[in-house]
Amino acid sequence: MEYRRLGRSGLKVSEFSFGSWVTFGKQVNGGDAVDLMKLAYDNGVNFFDNAEGYESGKSEIVMGEALNRLGWSRDSFVVSSKVFWGGQKPTQRGLSRKHVTDACHAALKRLQVDYLDLYFCHRPDIDTPIEETVRAMHDLVAQGKVLYWGTSEWSAQQLTEAYAVARDLRITPPTMEQPQYNIFERQKVESDYLPLYDLMGLGTTIWSPLASGVLTGKYNNGVPADSRMNLPGYEWLKEKWSSDAGRAQLKQVGELAKLADEIGLSITHLALLWCLANRNVSTVILGASRASQLQDNLAALSHRQKMTSDVLDRIDTIVGNKPEGPRRF
């Protein structure tokens, strides 16, 4: 395992991290959560990702109980939460000062920690002035309840505005963004955010590196009964990959699998190593409901030398979606 700085900050996070979306509090509980987190930690993972919106807080409760049972030294791991979807009442959602503060306190209790290493605005809130959110995040940093704050799925414009507000007020700017990034989803990380890596020193903690499992190849011949596409509440995912565009990408998965086989990789390892090849990626968040899945994902690191520039070019040729870089005139 190698470690990368979270953007321009001094914090070093493992290149593979472990997240709980879909799994903890739904497919994984109790001892299984302990086993998965221990497996990750023993293999060098030091960042564990969560959110108030994951299973309505149950995911954080499961992770907090696991952290308590594992008894790791608090200075040896990084844990996160995200704020936006905390409940149905008006004061339980969004990025108002009240909800940002209340959600932080609730996450600390559920995760059984004294502070959050990373705290994300889970989505932009068009009903709350960005200055209000930036000030609320800064205050939590000043109080020692949060070490670094960031965003998830914000536009480059929104990030730039938040950074400008913080700099103008001489308070803490966002450190990191958590965007979706995989072979099929590239625009934000490779194009939209490009100026921000230098301007802000932006770090990225990318999610869905396997495109919700599609880049494992397991959906090439239909939807397995035990897959997340068949879980209640994830009908949108099944609809996405059943669309014309989704079916076209599934055909590309077949071509990617052939390339992976040619160079001695599984398509899963190909997809994960492709994400790591981008040096603007601080960490790739893995998700797993079984130890065998997680162990296999982690094993990709032993094949990193196979992700050559030629292989990257061939992947670009297959998917044909590489964003255009800045133009020189």
Side-chain angles (χ1 to χ4, degrees):
M1 185 71 68
E2 295 181 2
Y3 299 84
R4 300 182 178 187
R5 287 175 62 190
L6 185 62
R8 198 178 290 154
S9 80
L11 182 66
K12 291 186 177 180
V13 290
S14 49
E15 55 191 346
F16 278 166
S17 43
F18 186 59
S20 61
W21 179 50
V22 182
T23 54
F24 280 30
K26 194 177 188 77
Q27 297 173 296
V28 175
N29 289 284
D32 291 337
V34 171
D35 292 343
L36 285 167
M37 291 180 65
K38 184 177 187 303
L39 175 61
Y41 185 83
D42 288 348
N43 279 274
V45 170
N46 73 352
F47 168 39
F48 298 86
D49 183 68
N50 220 313
E52 69 166 353
Y54 295 169
E55 299 307 312
S56 302
K58 293 178 184 176
S59 176
E60 291 186 334
I61 291 172
V62 171
M63 184 173 284
E65 291 173 347
L67 287 171
N68 185 48
R69 289 174 61 180
L70 288 162
W72 299 329
S73 174
R74 184 63 184 90
D75 60 4
S76 71
F77 66 91
V78 173
V79 68
S80 73
S81 184
K82 305 182 197 72
V83 53
F84 197 97
W85 294 289
Q88 297 304 313
K89 297 184 184 299
T91 54
Q92 295 175 329
R93 57 194 299 116
L95 299 177
S96 68
R97 173 182 285 276
K98 176 173 175 57
H99 185 53
V100 166
T101 304
D102 289 343
C104 177
H105 293 160
L108 292 174
K109 184 177 180 180
R110 287 191 294 263
L111 289 166
Q112 301 186 41
V113 293
D114 294 327
Y115 63 89
L116 297 172
D117 299 275
L118 310 182
Y119 192 35
F120 296 86
C121 299
H122 209 161
R123 289 295 185 274
D125 180 1
I126 62 173
D127 294 321
T128 300
I130 284 183
E131 180 178 332
E132 178 177 341
T133 302
V134 173
R135 284 183 180 274
M137 284 293 191
H138 167 76
D139 287 348
L140 290 171
V141 172
Q143 293 164 18
K145 295 172 182 175
V146 170
L147 301 188
Y148 304 90
W149 78 273
T151 60
S152 181
E153 295 297 340
W154 280 32
S155 69
Q157 178 182 346
Q158 290 162 334
L159 273 165
T160 302
E161 184 177 345
Y163 178 78
V165 166
R167 282 296 177 231
D168 185 55
L169 297 174
R170 297 187 178 182
I171 58 179
T172 311
T175 296
M176 67 281 173
E177 156 67 27
Q178 187 168 121
Q180 181 177 183
Y181 184 56
N182 55 59
I183 288 174
F184 293 132
E185 190 72 38
R186 305 173 62 172
Q187 181 65 32
K188 279 186 176 178
V189 172
E190 294 184 23
S191 181
D192 296 355
Y193 295 160
L194 207 55
L196 304 184
Y197 301 127
D198 289 329
L199 173 68
M200 297 174 52
L202 186 70
T204 60
T205 64
I206 67 106
W207 64 278
S208 199
L210 298 176
S212 297
V214 169
L215 284 166
T216 66
K218 68 181 179 181
Y219 297 115
N220 288 6
N221 298 310
V223 179
D226 62 346
S227 73
R228 69 175 57 180
M229 284 194 193
N230 281 324
L231 290 174
Y234 292 87
E235 292 81 8
W236 60 271
L237 192 59
K238 193 170 185 177
E239 290 175 6
K240 174 183 177 181
W241 293 103
S242 299
S243 67
D244 290 343
R247 285 196 293 270
Q249 288 180 328
L250 285 172
K251 288 184 65 176
Q252 292 175 338
V253 172
E255 295 301 309
L256 291 168
K258 292 177 184 177
L259 170 59
D261 185 63
E262 179 186 328
I263 62 175
L265 288 176
S266 68
I267 186 172
T268 299
H269 289 177
L270 180 86
L272 293 174
L273 292 173
W274 179 89
C275 293
L276 283 179
N278 186 336
R279 297 307 298 179
N280 290 318
V281 169
S282 306
T283 184
V284 175
I285 301 174
L286 306 177
S289 58
R290 299 188 301 274
S292 58
Q293 289 177 315
L294 181 56
Q295 189 70 67
D296 178 70
N297 285 182
L298 292 167
L301 296 177
S302 62
H303 302 290
R304 68 172 80 232
Q305 74 281 0
K306 295 181 179 180
M307 189 52 58
T308 63
S309 58
D310 176 64
V311 171
L312 291 169
D313 288 342
R314 292 176 67 183
I315 291 172
D316 286 340
T317 299
I318 290 171
V319 294
N321 65 351
K322 184 175 182 178
E324 286 189 15
R327 292 186 178 184
R328 287 188 172 87
F329 297 96

